[in-house]
């Protein structure tokens, strides 16, 4: 069966569309990639999305309009990817769409006299179903939240299916806007996988790069600017004291904690310090590295002798991040996701094809040991054509 997975992450830089062949094998599934495209958002659409991240200024009319506009944009991206792979929509069985997260509050907050968790992803599935004639599975996170989970990380379920090994403990990491890891104990151990967000991945680095270049560059290509600067340990220590990093898993975070306001504070403080802007990029990149490796060292390695670490997401292309992780985790072999046969940029889109496949077959597709949900659930809502 061929399915499409569609992902737009916390960096909001574009749409990842993967065409995946999914074949059931006993209690497992086998996945192979048949097509992939990363289609950037146009500058105006990216601006619209970022305006929705500002909860103090976002308007409900814009939220409603963007939900439908993104549905159209996603449908166009699907059509481009299918044509580029030499296929037609008749070859595709379904679409699994994550959508664009505009708000994620996984911790209980009192609202209307009740403790509430909430999350919101937009990109109207009904529009995609109408434009493509295919069933669309969307809105995955809400079912896990309803069951007491964090609604994240969802890719952990797919990591466990695809990357767990018989005799070796493995970590599958995704360094996107936010960095997260899935710890995969050896199958022989019988222990359950678990996952959590370690903190910012590229989110802070990208935001500072945009401010530094006045929007001309949206990320630090290969970590080259960071490599030209020096790390300021005293500034780093200040931010490493944030309470999130001391919290035990399961836990998740997002733009609400490490988004625009956080980047503004970094930018403002750094400009007032008079230190080099290249040093700022080096220090921000090291912040991502340290929050990642400290999470692994504190919450994983004492109980799981991990020998292998797969890295996907945009951070896998940042040499400063990759070298920093290797330097700080001696004894762990750090591997680029591309070496697995599923490219680093495609992994999360492939994951949502797998999650959608499970939804359509009424199979539980969350991982409670990763999200903190009280039990397994079937995530996703189906928009039939």
């Amino acid at each position: 069966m061929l399915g499409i997975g569609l992902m737009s992450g916390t960096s909001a830089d574009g749409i990842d569309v993967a065409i995946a062949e999914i074949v059931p094998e006993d209690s497992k599934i086998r996945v192979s990639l048949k097509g992939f495209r990363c289609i950037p958002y146009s500058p105006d659409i990216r601006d619209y999305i970022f305006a929705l991240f500002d909860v103090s200024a976002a308007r409900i009319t814009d939220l409603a309009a963007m939900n439908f506009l993104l549905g159209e944009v996603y449908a166009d991206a699907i059509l481009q990817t299918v044509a580029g792979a030499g296929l037609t929509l008749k070859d595709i069985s379904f679409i699994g769409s994550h959508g664009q997260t505009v708000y994620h509050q996984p911790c209980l907050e009192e609202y209307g006299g009740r403790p509430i968790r909430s999350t919101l992803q937009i990109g109207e599935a009904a529009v995609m179903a109408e434009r493509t004639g295919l069933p669309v599975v969307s809105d995955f996170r809400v079912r896990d939240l309803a069951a007491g989970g964090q609604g994240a990380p969802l890719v952990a379920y797919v990591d466990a299916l695809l990357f767990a090994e018989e005799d070796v403990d493995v970590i599958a990491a995704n360094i996107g806007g936010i960095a997260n890891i899935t710890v995969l104990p050896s199958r022989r151990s019988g222990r359950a996988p678990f996952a959590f967000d370690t903190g910012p991945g590229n989110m802070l680095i990208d935001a500072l790069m945009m401010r530094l270049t006045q929007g001309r560059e949206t990320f630090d290509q290969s970590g080259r600017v960071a490599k030209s600067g020096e790390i300021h340990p005293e500034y780093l220590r200040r931010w490493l004291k944030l309470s999130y990093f001391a919290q035990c898993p399961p836990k998740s975070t997002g733009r609400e904690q490490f988004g625009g306001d956080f980047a503004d504070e970094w930018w403002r403080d750094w400009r007032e310090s008079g230190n080099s802007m290249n040093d700022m990029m080096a220090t921000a990149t090291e912040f991502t590295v340290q929050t990642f490796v400290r999470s692994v060292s504190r919450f994983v390695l004492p109980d799981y002798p991990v020998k292998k670490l797969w890295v996907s997401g945009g951070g896998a292309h940042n040499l400063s991040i990759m070298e920093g992780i290797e330097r700080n985790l001696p004894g762990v072999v750090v591997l680029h996701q591309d070496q697995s046969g599923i490219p680093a940029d495609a992994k999360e889109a492939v994951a949502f094809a797998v999650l959608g496949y499970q939804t359509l077959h009424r199979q539980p597709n969350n991982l409670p040991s990763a999200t903190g949900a009280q039990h397994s659930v079937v995530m996703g809502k189906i928009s039939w054509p």
Side-chain angles (χ1 to χ4, degrees), residues 128-140:
M128 287 183 272
E130 183 68 23
R131 301 291 176 263
T132 64
L134 295 170
V136 180
V137 186
S138 64
D139 215 9
F140 289 90

Side-chain angles (χ1 to χ4, degrees), residues 312-335:
S312 64
H317 304 302
N318 185 312
L319 298 181
S320 294
I321 291 177
M322 292 292 281
E323 290 170 4
I325 291 172
E326 287 183 297
R327 184 174 61 251
N328 285 277
L329 292 176
V332 178
V333 178
V334 180
L335 299 167

